[in-house]
Amino acid sequence: MRIARHVGGGFILGTSQGGWVSTGALGVRATVLADLIEHLPVLAESAASATPDVHNPHLAAPVGRPGKILAVGLNYLQHIAELGRPRPSTPMIFAKYPSAVTGPTDPIELNPSVTAEVDYEAELAVVIGWPARNVDATHAAEHILGYCVGNDVSARDLQRAEPQISRSKSLDTFCPIGPWITTADEVSDPQSLRITTTVNGVTRQDSTTADLLFGVPELVAHLSRTMTLEPGDVILTGTPSGVGSGMTPPTYLNEGDIVRCEIEKLGRIENRVVSPAANR
Ligand code: ZN
C-alpha cells in the first residue's frame, strides 16, 4: 500500500487503479500516523478496491513531524571510499531535527547568511510503525511500517566547522521526504534497490542499497538498544557516493537547481533550490 498525505487534506491511500482515496472516505479519521496504523489491516483491504476521490494531490511529507529523525553517516562502502575515511566499526548516528522536514516537491531554501555549501544526499528512509525497544535484527522487520525516499540536505561548511553536525543537517527545508510511504510488504528486500540522484537532469548518484555497510535490520536493532523507536520515527540510512562535496572541484547546489532523488519501487522526490526571497 502507498500511504501519502496531501497539503491541507490529511492521509490518502493508493488504490489499485492508480489514484488516491482519502482515509475519511474509507471511514477512518486519521490525523497522525499512529491513528492510521491502528486501522492498517482494514484500510489495506478497502483502499485497494476503492474508487479514487482525490485527484492530482499536492503531496506533503508522508510524516509531517516525526518524533525523531535518526540519520546514519558513512554507511555506503563506495561513499566511505569517496571520502577517504576508515570504515566505521559501529553505525555513525546523528540527529536531524523534525522542523527540517518538507514535502516531496516543495522547495529547498538556501540560507546564504549561514551556508554557501548546500549539498544533496539521496537516502533510503525507514518509517517505524510499531514501538521498537531492544529488538534484535531478526525481529526488526516487525517494527517497520515502510520506506520512502529522503534527501539529507547538508550544509558542508557548517558540517566541517562544528563537532556536532546536527545543525548543518537541520536547516529549514533540508529534509525533503516522500513521495509516499510504500509499506514494507511491497518491498521484498530493502537492500536491493537502485538509488539515484540527478541535478538538472544530470546523474550525480547511481548506486544500490546493496552497498549499505549496516543494513536496515542492524540499524533498527542498534538504535532500539539505545532508545525506543516510536511510530512515525524516521531512520535515514546514509547516502551513496556521488555527493557534490566529493566532486572535483566540489560542486554545490545553486538557486534554480532541480534535485531529483529516486529509489526503485519507492518513487521519487524532486525539489527546486530557491533563495529565501524567491519563496516568499
Ligand atoms: Zn546523510
Side-chain angles (χ1 to χ4, degrees), residues 75-129:
N75 201 29
Y76 277 79
L77 296 172
Q78 281 184 30
H79 181 55
I80 295 166
E82 161 185 68
L83 297 174
R85 302 278 291 273
R87 188 184 289 200
S89 56
T90 181
M92 198 199 102
I93 304 297
F94 59 91
K96 201 165 163 85
Y97 296 114
S99 51
V101 169
T102 195
T105 59
D106 291 337
I108 295 167
E109 283 187 29
L110 297 171
N111 187 341
S113 68
V114 176
T115 174
E117 298 183 0
V118 178
D119 204 356
Y120 53 83
E121 295 189 351
E123 310 210 356
L124 171 69
V126 179
V127 182
I128 298 295

Side-chain angles (χ1 to χ4, degrees), residues 33-34 37 63 66-67 127-132 143 228-234:
L33 198 58
I37 288 168
V63 192
V127 182
I128 298 295
W130 296 271
H143 302 267
T228 303
L229 302 178
E230 298 172 321
D233 284 353
V234 172

